[in-house]
Every structure is written in structure tokens, then in C-alpha cells.
Amino acid sequence: MNHKQQTSKEDIPEALRDIPTTPTSSSLNPKLVILGLSGLAIIILGSLGIMRLMSSPSETNTVSVEPTPSPSPTPETVENILGHLPYEEADPNQLKSITNDGRIKLREKAADSFLKMQRDARESGIILNPISGFRTVEQQEYLFFEIKRQRNQDTRKRAEVSAPPNYSEHHTGYAVDIGDGQVPATNLSENFEQTPAFRWLENNAAKYSFELSFPRNNPQGISYEPWHWRYVGDGESLKTFYEAQQLQNNASSEDNLVN
Ligand SMILES: [Zn+2]
């Protein structure tokens, strides 16, 4: 029986055997399929990686090159005329005279500080002569338009040396034009910077909270005025000058971005 069973297989013609002895594709299939699939997976994953590597730089490029939609800059339009900023007229009740005749006035704190500065300068032999302090809008109107007419000046040229009404620091009661009492010929002239008074102011004015409003190449584009000083010794005066200037600087930097 055993022998027969063992041999019986051989007796059956090969073609008719139900259990195939020769290896066919189907018997190796699972292994091949796994190998094939894993190979394919490696290829797919690999190519995905390559694609990713290839695509990622372009993605970052796209991000950096494309203009990011930023919020449109708030148009802080600052009212200014030919570089001059608008200033409110000081309350006449807050003004104090800095001359014996009462002709030239400043806001009280500025006046006190100026008088102290003047006294201290005199001790060093320097005579600080106030030429102009607080001005009303009406007075500035005359200074700007009437003098412009008398001098036959072009508006832009006039604005380089004088502020239009409503745009003068002198309206605030914090600004003062100073001359050298010993060299009056240099009054309101660039030559004032050659005087001992100017040199003294350069070295000492900050101690009394005075600063030059329009130094050379000032951002407002106003002519150099070595004689024109402003008081910035309290919150109110600081706010008056620096808030306006800050707004102007912001606005002009936005202009630069647009241009
Ligand atoms: Zn002035």
C-alpha cells in the first residue's frame, strides 16, 4: 500500500498530476509580491522624497518672492506746508514777558528758563538778546505775506526762511529767536553761528532745555536757523514738537516705501 501510494504518483502522467511538482509562478507569488510591493513602495517613497526635495526650495522661494499681502499702510496724512508743521496759538494768559518792555513773551516755564539762561550767560560775559518770542497767527500772517511781497519772494523761497501763519513754532510760546547783544549785525543771519553767544548756546542751552529747531540739513527741509531755539523742558512742549515731528517722519517713510 505504502509503496503503491508512493509510486502511484509517478504512475500518473505528469500533465495530469493535481499537485504540480514543478515550481510555477503561483507558488513563488507571495514572496515575489511582497518583494515587488516593497520594492515599489521604496521606489514610490524614494521618488516622493526626491520630488519633495525638488519642490521644497521652490515652495520657500515662492513664499519669499511673492509679496505677502500686508495690511495697507494707514495713510497718516500730516498737515504740513512746505515742511512747516501746524501749531496752535498759545493761551495769552499763560505767557510771561522776557523783556522789560513786555514786548517779547514766552510760555511761563520757557520764560523762566530763558531768563535763568540769560543770567548765567551774562556771568560768562555773553549777552543773549531775545529778538522774537510768542507770535500770534495774525503777526505771522504779516511776516509771511507782507515781507514776501516787499522782498518779491517766491512762496517756496519765503517758506524756507519763514513759516506760513498757523505753522510757526512761535505760535506755541516755546520758541525764541536769540541774538548776540554784542554783535547785533548777525541778528537773524547765518553768521550768528560765528558769535560767542551761539557758541555758548551750543554748549549750554540743553541745560536749560532749549534746543535748536532747525539745524543744518534738518528733516523738515527748513533753512538753517542758528538763532531759533525752542523750549522742550516739560511734557507739554515735548509733545507739541515731537508728536508732530514723529507723525511727519512716519508719513515720509511711508512715502519712501511707495516711491
Ligand atoms: Zn524763529
Side-chain angles (χ1 to χ4, degrees):
M1 273 292 273
N2 276 345
H3 175 76
K4 214 172 181 181
Q5 270 181 341
Q6 271 181 349
T7 54
S8 67
K9 212 176 180 180
E10 286 163 31
D11 293 338
I12 303 165
E14 214 174 59
L16 297 175
R17 287 177 196 162
D18 41 15
I19 302 162
T21 52
T22 46
T24 60
S25 58
S26 61
S27 69
L28 285 175
N29 248 355
K31 275 184 188 172
L32 278 177
V33 165
I34 289 163
L35 277 173
L37 282 176
S38 51
L40 198 66
I42 287 164
I43 289 164
I44 289 167
L45 287 173
S47 54
L48 275 174
I50 289 163
M51 279 167 71
R52 213 192 168 116
L53 277 173
M54 285 169 72
S55 65
S56 56
S58 66
E59 266 172 34
T60 48
N61 279 349
T62 313
V63 168
S64 63
V65 167
E66 260 179 32
T68 43
S70 56
S72 54
T74 45
E76 276 178 301
T77 46
V78 177
E79 204 194 346
N80 82 80
I81 288 182
L82 301 166
H84 295 280
L85 303 171
Y87 293 109
E88 277 178 33
E89 207 177 283
D91 179 351
N93 297 321
Q94 294 179 346
L95 298 172
K96 180 177 172 176
S97 178
I98 54 169
T99 51
N100 291 333
D101 60 7
R103 199 173 44 88
I104 300 173
K105 293 173 179 170
L106 290 179
R107 266 218 235 185
E108 204 172 336
K109 276 187 183 173
D112 289 341
S113 195
F114 175 83
L115 291 171
K116 182 165 181 11
M117 180 165 76
Q118 193 183 40
R119 277 196 304 272
D120 292 351
R122 188 170 275 267
E123 281 177 20
S124 309
I126 303 293
I127 297 170
L128 299 181
N129 180 35
I131 300 166
S132 180
F134 167 75
R135 282 182 215 147
T136 63
V137 173
E138 202 181 335
Q139 286 169 320
Q140 194 66 25
E141 191 126 358
Y142 173 83
L143 275 175
F144 188 82
F145 293 109
E146 190 51 38
I147 303 294
K148 174 176 155 353
R149 267 194 292 273
Q150 285 174 18
R151 293 185 188 171
N152 192 26
Q153 269 175 327
D154 160 60
T155 301
R156 278 180 188 280
K157 265 271 168 285
R158 183 74 194 131
E160 279 176 16
V161 293
S162 176
N166 291 303
Y167 292 82
S168 173
E169 289 191 354
H170 286 280
H171 295 324
T172 67
Y174 292 124
V176 59
D177 293 337
I178 303 172
D180 188 319
Q182 287 156 317
V183 201
T186 61
N187 281 0
L188 307 177
S189 135
E190 245 188 63
N191 292 337
F192 174 66
E193 75 171 347
Q194 314 290 341
T195 65
F198 179 76
R199 279 193 291 276
W200 189 92
L201 284 167
E202 253 193 330
N203 294 327
N204 298 284
K207 291 179 210 159
Y208 307 89
S209 301
F210 278 93
E211 65 178 20
L212 209 53
S213 293
F214 308 114
R216 279 188 209 282
N217 306 315
N218 60 80
Q220 284 177 251
I222 311 297
S223 285
Y224 173 49
E225 292 188 1
W227 62 86
H228 179 112
W229 296 76
R230 66 186 177 197
Y231 178 75
V232 283
D234 63 3
E236 184 69 26
S237 54
L238 209 64
K239 191 169 175 261
T240 299
F241 297 116
Y242 281 90
E243 215 169 57
Q245 210 162 57
Q246 190 61 46
L247 284 171
Q248 194 201 33
N249 290 344
N250 288 346
S252 57
S253 63
E254 274 168 17
D255 285 349
N256 290 342
L257 283 175
V258 172
N259 298 332

